[in-house]
Amino acid sequence: LKAGRHAASISVLFPDVVGEYGMAHFSDREKSNGKDYCIFFNSQWARLPQDLHKASRLQIYDLTTSVLCSPSEVPEGGFPNRIPMVLRGNCTFYEKVRLAQINGAKGLLIVSKDRLTPPAGNKTQYEEIDIPVALLSYSDMLDISKTFGKARLVAMYAPNEPVLDYNMVIIFLMAVGTVAVGGYWAGSRDRKKRYLKLKRDEAAEKQDEETVDVSPVMICVFVVMCCSMLVLLYFFYDYLAIWVIAIFCVASSVGLHSCLWPFVRRLPFCKCRVPQNNLPYLQKRPQVSALLLSAFCLGVSLTWMVFRNEDEWAWVLQDALGIAFCLYMLKTVRLPTFKACTLLLSVLIYDVFFVFITPFLTNSGESIMVEVAAGPSDSATHEKLPMVLKVPRLNSSPLALCDRPFSLLGFGDILVPGLLVVYCHRFDILIQSSRIYFVACTVGAHYGVGLLVTFVALAVMQMGQPALLYLVPCTLLTSLAVALCRKELPQFWTGSGFVPAIALAPISCTQTAAPPTEGPLTPKPEAEEAEPAEEKAQEA
């Protein structure tokens, strides 16, 4: 889970320098309403008031044609009771702010085309300067010039921000709902396959083909691919981001179709099929409703792709498509044993390395996981990867405009523990345990405890958190504890009984086969009529 606010401490480039986010409120003399812009400042130069009403509204002196590194660049008369706005470069922050202060300035705004970093200095310089100095992005400066006239006023302040935002509740509900629905849906499909007296028709074979059992080799290959992709995205983000977006559009369309089709096919109308034809993909005469649904799902995905940068509403489409994709994956991918679940969840804590360790290995002190998930600030395309659930900040703090105004939860934080939830529900159905494992893993551990622990760590550390670090121990230990208490650990560990062996009695012309004796791991038939032995052998 990545936080929307990053009050940065850049210890690699600037030891003992702490940067804080603040706001610069610009307005015209004639206008009562203004606009807030994000600034990055160092409180060791001078502190800013926490309330806009307590901040002084001063006139801006636009000197963005200069870098203010020499006295010759100071205009005649100086900056009495004004805040000059200059370009970054050619000299230190101290030289700029010293020139501004001795010429009457009450603050200094430095426009930066590069990444915003805290204006640094040494202890002696901090004691000498008593006016605030802050960095403003170049794009914001262009918007200010376009929006406001020459008589611009600015008030700089740094409001406190709530520890946790209300959008965490929305993320919590979406994550819990996705895992619970996905686990229940996948288990219900398994129940239908096991308990109903199905014949080996085309529909059953198609259902089998849609299910993929994960082996240990597949787990290892998957982890290597994930780590490699993260590193490649970090170094070649602008080249690979568009491909990830295209893949997401295709995959989410398939997932949305899979989620909506069970409802569409039950509609009383549109049962007609495509006429006889020799066209590719239409020779099997699919239902017209299936084709219309496919067009609808593809249209939703393409709509998001075109308007993906509309932060006001595009996140709703992204979350809907992401949830559909996660549900499809939970329905399709299965872990055959608890041993495989343990292996997968254990090795996927690799994101702890990419969140906490990589800042010591990168030149700028950045976390590879956070940078890739939220999009590098120095990206030329400014694309954001869609492989996350995102919800905008809901509090009233103007700091929501700064840096990354969304809280993010990666799909992996839903899918990986969700596969264990699916396994628990399938095991519940197998032993007829009234969904004890499913409820314990979904509510009691996965999000009832694990995600809340993640939120607490996020509030305490005020930095992006690898959610799997907290979710994996909670899910694994809770499932293990339930199995131990019920004395079912051997069966739960190996998954024995998912394909129960059925002994066939000899069959004669005048004798019918006796039904097999029900064991603890043999599902009870729901129908009272005894099936022919041959059909039972086929189902086994």
Side-chain angles (χ1 to χ4, degrees):
L1 186 68
K2 282 77 184 178
R5 174 194 178 196
H6 295 268
S9 173
I10 307 183
S11 58
V12 176
L13 296 179
F14 304 99
D16 301 325
V17 177
V18 177
E20 300 177 33
Y21 286 119
M23 302 304 299
H25 183 83
F26 280 81
S27 61
D28 279 340
R29 290 186 184 275
E30 297 81 8
K31 297 181 180 179
S32 57
N33 295 329
K35 186 175 180 180
D36 289 323
Y37 295 90
C38 181
I39 57 175
F40 204 40
F41 73 101
N42 181 356
S43 58
Q44 291 174 291
W45 294 105
R47 292 190 175 275
L48 296 179
Q50 296 181 357
D51 194 344
L52 173 61
H53 301 292
K54 297 181 180 179
S56 301
R57 298 176 71 231
L58 301 172
Q59 187 172 352
I60 281 288
Y61 193 103
D62 192 344
L63 201 64
T64 50
T65 57
S66 168
V67 291
L68 195 63
C69 287
S70 65
S72 61
E73 297 176 272
V74 179
E76 185 177 355
F79 316 104
N81 292 319
R82 297 183 180 184
I83 297 181
M85 186 165 59
V86 302
L87 290 178
R88 180 179 180 180
N90 295 356
C91 60
T92 64
F93 293 116
Y94 168 71
E95 293 175 278
K96 295 178 186 292
V97 68
R98 181 176 176 274
L99 272 175
Q101 179 172 291
I102 63 178
N103 284 278
K106 296 299 181 180
L108 178 65
L109 279 175
I110 302 175
V111 178
S112 175
K113 295 183 179 180
D114 301 324
R115 185 189 184 104
L116 297 184
T117 56
N122 57 44
K123 185 176 180 180
T124 304
Q125 294 170 350
Y126 292 147
E127 294 175 351
E128 181 180 347
I129 302 300
D130 58 3
I131 63 173
V133 53
L135 268 70
L136 178 76
S137 71
Y138 186 78
S139 59
D140 285 345
M141 185 272 293
L142 295 178
D143 185 75
I144 292 168
S145 301
K146 181 180 178 181
T147 306
F148 302 98
K150 294 184 178 180
R152 285 169 277 180
L153 300 177
V154 65
M156 293 190 291
Y157 66 110
N160 284 330
E161 187 179 14
V163 176
L164 286 177
D165 194 274
Y166 299 118
N167 60 5
M168 297 296 180
V169 177
I170 299 178
I171 289 181
F172 183 92
L173 294 176
M174 287 196 300
V176 170
T178 303
V179 170
V181 173
Y184 184 84
W185 189 11
S188 298
R189 292 176 74 246
D190 201 60
R191 174 192 291 273
K192 182 178 180 181
K193 179 181 176 182
R194 294 176 183 281
Y195 290 107
L196 297 181
K197 295 186 295 183
L198 298 176
K199 296 181 179 180
R200 282 292 184 181
D201 55 9
E202 182 180 353
E205 291 176 0
K206 183 178 179 181
Q207 188 182 55
D208 289 344
E209 292 174 358
E210 290 179 350
T211 303
V212 178
D213 287 332
V214 179
S215 65
V217 175
M218 294 172 63
I219 293 174
C220 296
V221 172
F222 176 73
V223 172
V224 172
M225 290 177 59
C226 287
C227 295
S228 303
M229 192 63 183
L230 269 176
V231 175
L232 289 174
L233 281 169
Y234 180 74
F235 288 104
F236 307 103
Y237 186 89
D238 290 333
Y239 300 99
L240 298 177
I242 191 65
W243 290 103
V244 175
I245 291 172
I247 293 172
F248 173 76
C249 286
V250 175
S252 61
S253 298
V254 175
L256 187 61
H257 185 280
S258 176
C259 293
L260 296 180
W261 176 241
F263 303 98
V264 173
R265 69 182 179 184
R266 287 178 171 82
L267 296 177
F269 49 89
C270 292
K271 295 292 184 181
C272 55
R273 293 181 175 272
V274 175
Q276 290 286 352
N277 63 88
N278 294 323
L279 297 175
Y281 306 107
L282 299 179
Q283 295 178 356
K284 294 183 179 181
R285 300 184 61 202
Q287 293 184 7
V288 175
S289 57
L291 297 179
L292 294 176
L293 179 61
S294 299
F296 170 77
C297 295
L298 186 60
V300 173
S301 181
L302 291 177
T303 300
W304 170 83
M305 186 176 183
V306 173
F307 299 101
R308 63 186 180 276
N309 293 322
E310 298 291 334
D311 288 341
E312 290 80 8
W313 58 270
W315 64 272
V316 178
L317 277 183
Q318 178 174 321
D319 289 351
L321 292 170
I323 290 173
F325 170 75
C326 290
L327 290 175
Y328 173 73
M329 293 300 294
L330 290 176
K331 182 190 71 170
T332 304
V333 180
R334 295 192 310 184
L335 295 172
T337 65
F338 184 66
K339 179 170 64 175
C341 296
T342 304
L343 175 63
L344 176 65
L345 270 67
S346 299
V347 297
L348 282 180
I349 305 186
Y350 68 86
D351 61 350
V352 175
F353 169 81
F354 284 100
V355 172
F356 291 137
I357 307 301
T358 52
F360 299 101
L361 304 178
T362 56
N363 293 331
S364 56
E366 301 165 340
S367 164
I368 289 181
M369 179 69 76
V370 174
E371 287 295 302
V372 170
S377 57
D378 57 353
S379 170
T381 60
H382 300 289
E383 293 288 356
K384 308 293 183 184
L385 294 185
M387 307 307 291
V388 294
L389 298 181
K390 56 188 295 186
V391 180
R393 301 176 63 87
L394 301 178
N395 62 36
S396 57
S397 171
L399 284 176
L401 298 175
C402 288
D403 198 35
R404 293 155 183 160
F406 288 89
S407 292
L408 312 176
L409 183 68
F411 290 167
D413 300 329
I414 296 175
L415 288 174
V416 175
L419 293 174
L420 175 58
V421 173
V422 171
Y423 177 81
C424 289
H425 192 202
R426 294 175 60 228
F427 191 77
D428 279 327
I429 293 172
L430 178 69
I431 63 174
Q432 301 178 357
S433 63
S434 302
R435 299 188 178 92
I436 292 177
Y437 288 91
F438 174 68
V439 173
C441 191
T442 305
V443 180
H446 183 81
Y447 286 104
V449 175
L451 203 55
L452 290 179
V453 172
T454 307
F455 290 164
V456 172
L458 181 67
V460 172
M461 302 179 67
Q462 286 294 300
M463 63 177 294
Q465 295 295 314
L468 289 179
L469 174 64
Y470 312 100
L471 297 175
V472 167
C474 289
T475 44
L476 287 178
L477 293 178
T478 301
S479 304
L480 186 63
V482 173
L484 285 173
C485 293
R486 293 175 57 86
K487 299 181 180 180
E488 296 167 345
L489 183 57
Q491 299 95 322
F492 189 66
W493 178 258
T494 60
S496 59
F498 276 114
V499 187
I502 299 178
L504 297 181
I507 301 175
S508 65
C509 296
T510 59
Q511 184 181 13
T512 57
T517 304
E518 294 180 358
L521 293 180
T522 305
K524 295 179 181 179
E526 291 188 352
E528 295 181 357
E529 297 85 5
E531 292 183 306
E534 294 181 358
E535 290 187 11
K536 290 188 176 182
Q538 289 179 357
E539 289 188 7

